[in-house]
Amino acid sequence: MLNLSRIDRRLPAALALVGLVAAIPAHAAEADTHQARFRALYQELIETDTSLSNGSCTLAAERMNARLVAAGYGATQFRTVVPPEFPKQGSLVGEVTGSDAKLPAVLLLAHIDVVEAKRSDWKRDPFKLVEENGYFYARGAIDDKAMAASYVDALIRYKEEGFKPRRTIKLALTCGEETDSHFNGVSYLLKTAPDTLKAGFAINEGGKGTLDAAGKPISFGVQTGEKIYQDFTLTATAPGGHSARPTDDNAIVRLGDALSRIGKYKFPVDVTEGSKSFFRNSAASFSGQTSQDMIAVAAGTADAAAYARIAAQSPYWNAFIRTTCIATLIEGGHAPNAQPQSAKANVNCRIMPGEKIPDIQRQLIEQVADPKIDLKLAEEPGPQSPPPPLTPAIMKPIEKVAAEIWPGVPVVPILSTGATDGRFLMAAGIPTYGVSAVFVDPDGNGVHGLDERVRVASLYNAREFLYRLIKNYGAAR
């Protein structure tokens, strides 16, 4: 028999539970709507080809500007800057003015150009966003349209919320990072419109999270400086002659000997504060001798044997503690039956921030140890600058938000062995930090290569991280 009294007693609690359940889908629906809007924004940016050969950064910038205007920003608050000589290399710049003019601005920098991608080489169309097996596939899925789309999305959310920052928030979505020998948007803006980039500090690509093979987050990387890229050309000459009557003066052999000496040479240890922090924060993830060596490197007490063990464990770690130079190209001789009259090689160096290029050239000449081999710069040096300072004002907000989204995952400063547009900003006196917040797989996710991809969850988490981080910086005194 049905007990009506028991139903009556339970009815208020049941109704309350129904109300709670009903409230959840409404909140989830709102979140899903915002996420769906971000996905559409991201897709539009991805599917706007911005490669040098066929694409247009100008069109991509205009499309992102249209979304900001649609969100309620003024028609001229953000604008597309188009260099007359490069009509497809436009950049989007603008700002949300803070309430305290005394506070230096934070600059949100991302490049919207992408590396070339041939449809015939890819399994999927590189300029169509494809969601498959928990990943988004496309050229620029990570580099660097994930960050650019997240910036625009964050600004749209702030407008909806009525958020008024204390600190001015500047946006620069630029072109030419991938092809800076052709044109570079950051360099162009620094020369023609420096106020668009003027800031107390900038956040940029470069830092990223790392995942293990099972997709578990291991560490959250923050880029705190970049090594300097520099090529050197080595040219060996000799009299030549018939190959049937060889002499000891062979240009290819002498050049090979010189390259062998360079390959064996270890540049002096030079550990930046960022690299010390990397080893300090990473030590807990290891045990035994490796952990002890990391702690010693961080403390500045490591001996030569400890540095040698660290360098031997990982090419990545070796690159964190010293300048590196390797041979990358070689050519020589003029006929298969003749002694070579000349041989030429390229040596590529990644130089620690703060070290001088002439000092590196001198050390290379010492290793060549052959007066008949000419060693010179392959091109004029690019921008050079010291690493940015690791201040609490920068790092604490990063650590706070990272702990909210990825509890227990250590925040690890890293020194970039590659190059980004941050080098131009740092040379102009703007400290720049790489904080993309995208977690990547051990294989690198095809960035610059085939079938570039990002985990869907990683993209959405990075979007949320940047939204919260920028808000923290904007509200800070």
Side-chain angles (χ1 to χ4, degrees):
M1 180 177 177
L2 187 60
N3 189 329
L4 295 177
S5 64
R6 292 177 67 182
I7 293 177
D8 290 341
R9 287 196 301 270
R10 294 179 179 179
L11 187 57
L15 289 174
L17 180 59
V18 170
L20 177 60
V21 173
I24 291 172
H27 176 74
E30 181 181 356
D32 287 347
T33 299
H34 289 168
Q35 185 169 289
R37 181 184 62 197
F38 168 72
R39 189 191 189 284
L41 184 159
Y42 175 67
Q43 181 170 357
E44 181 177 41
L45 187 56
I46 287 287
E47 295 187 355
T48 304
D49 184 351
T50 52
S51 61
L52 180 62
S53 62
N54 297 307
S56 172
C57 288
T58 302
L59 178 59
E62 290 170 344
R63 287 176 170 173
M64 293 301 100
N65 191 21
R67 287 185 174 268
L68 291 168
V69 172
Y73 288 103
T76 59
Q77 190 166 353
F78 295 88
R79 61 191 175 93
T80 303
V81 178
V82 183
E85 302 88 348
F86 301 98
K88 293 185 177 182
Q89 308 291 302
S91 299
L92 179 63
V93 298
E95 66 179 50
V96 180
T97 305
S99 59
D100 188 345
K102 295 179 181 178
L103 288 174
V106 54
L107 172 64
L108 314 180
L109 176 67
H111 68 87
I112 52 177
D113 63 306
V114 295
V115 172
E116 299 288 343
K118 291 177 63 177
R119 175 65 186 93
S120 58
D121 292 340
W122 284 52
K123 295 178 182 177
R124 308 159 191 84
D125 188 335
F127 296 105
K128 294 292 182 184
L129 185 67
V130 176
E131 184 174 354
E132 187 178 299
N133 299 324
Y135 286 90
F136 285 128
Y137 289 83
R139 173 58 85 220
I142 291 178
D143 187 15
D144 186 26
K145 291 184 175 181
M147 200 167 195
S150 295
Y151 287 160
V152 176
D153 175 74
L155 294 179
I156 291 172
R157 293 169 71 179
Y158 302 151
K159 174 58 74 172
E160 289 178 339
E161 297 164 0
F163 172 61
K164 307 290 185 184
R166 281 196 191 91
R167 184 190 303 276
T168 292
I169 300 172
K170 293 187 176 183
L171 176 70
L173 305 184
T174 60
C175 196
E177 194 272 349
E178 303 290 6
T179 54
D180 60 353
S181 61
H182 175 77
F183 170 82
N184 181 265
V186 172
S187 295
Y188 180 79
L189 291 171
L190 285 170
K191 293 175 183 176
T192 62
D195 284 347
T196 62
L197 302 180
K198 184 178 180 182
F201 64 98
I203 59 174
N204 180 36
E205 65 168 337
K208 60 182 179 292
T210 55
L211 301 169
D212 65 15
K216 180 183 176 181
I218 299 173
S219 64
F220 182 101
V222 179
Q223 181 180 310
T224 56
E226 300 183 5
K227 298 184 86 169
I228 300 163
Y229 180 109
Q230 184 63 54
D231 286 312
F232 293 90
T233 300
L234 282 70
T235 304
T237 55
H242 202 290
S243 63
R245 296 181 292 276
T247 69
D248 291 336
D249 191 1
N250 186 300
I252 291 177
V253 172
R254 288 194 357 258
L255 181 62
D257 290 342
L259 293 176
S260 178
R261 288 189 289 272
I262 289 174
K264 294 174 183 177
Y265 179 62
K266 301 296 184 184
F267 283 83
V269 169
D270 180 10
V271 187
T272 67
E273 289 303 313
S275 291
K276 287 180 180 178
S277 295
F278 166 82
F279 288 110
R280 183 182 303 113
N281 294 357
S282 300
S285 301
F286 296 85
S287 60
Q289 189 66 60
T290 299
S291 179
Q292 294 174 30
D293 288 343
M294 286 183 159
I295 292 170
V297 170
T301 59
D303 58 15
Y307 284 122
R309 287 190 294 268
I310 287 289
Q313 286 229 36
S314 165
Y316 200 48
W317 295 355
N318 179 61
F320 277 5
I321 63 173
R322 57 167 51 92
T323 289
T324 60
C325 294
I326 68 164
T328 56
L329 293 170
I330 189 166
E331 60 180 90
H334 59 284
N337 59 351
Q339 296 181 60
Q341 297 166 359
S342 67
K344 183 182 293 187
N346 186 83
V347 169
N348 176 249
C349 295
R350 305 299 175 113
I351 302 170
M352 294 296 287
E355 293 187 4
K356 304 299 183 184
I357 291 176
D359 291 338
I360 303 303
Q361 186 173 12
R362 173 185 54 77
Q363 292 177 70
L364 289 174
I365 290 173
E366 290 173 356
Q367 295 307 309
V368 168
D370 185 337
K372 293 183 179 180
I373 296 179
D374 178 60
L375 187 150
K376 62 183 179 181
L377 299 178
E379 69 282 311
E380 287 301 307
Q384 303 166 56
S385 60
L390 292 178
T391 64
I394 297 296
M395 296 303 296
K396 291 297 183 185
I398 294 173
E399 293 165 353
K400 172 181 178 292
V401 179
E404 293 169 357
I405 299 177
W406 303 280
V409 175
V411 174
V412 180
I414 57 174
L415 176 68
S416 174
T417 55
T420 74
D421 278 338
R423 68 193 191 278
F424 300 109
L425 290 182
M426 288 189 288
I430 303 170
T432 304
Y433 304 86
V435 201
S436 78
V438 173
F439 276 74
V440 299
D441 297 308
D443 66 0
N445 293 70
V447 171
H448 281 216
L450 294 176
D451 303 311
E452 183 178 348
R453 71 193 190 282
V454 62
R455 289 177 184 250
V456 174
S458 290
L459 175 67
Y460 289 150
N461 283 337
R463 166 208 178 221
E464 183 62 24
F465 173 88
L466 289 170
Y467 161 79
R468 297 187 198 180
L469 178 68
I470 296 163
K471 202 169 189 179
N472 268 269
Y473 285 146
R477 296 184 181 277

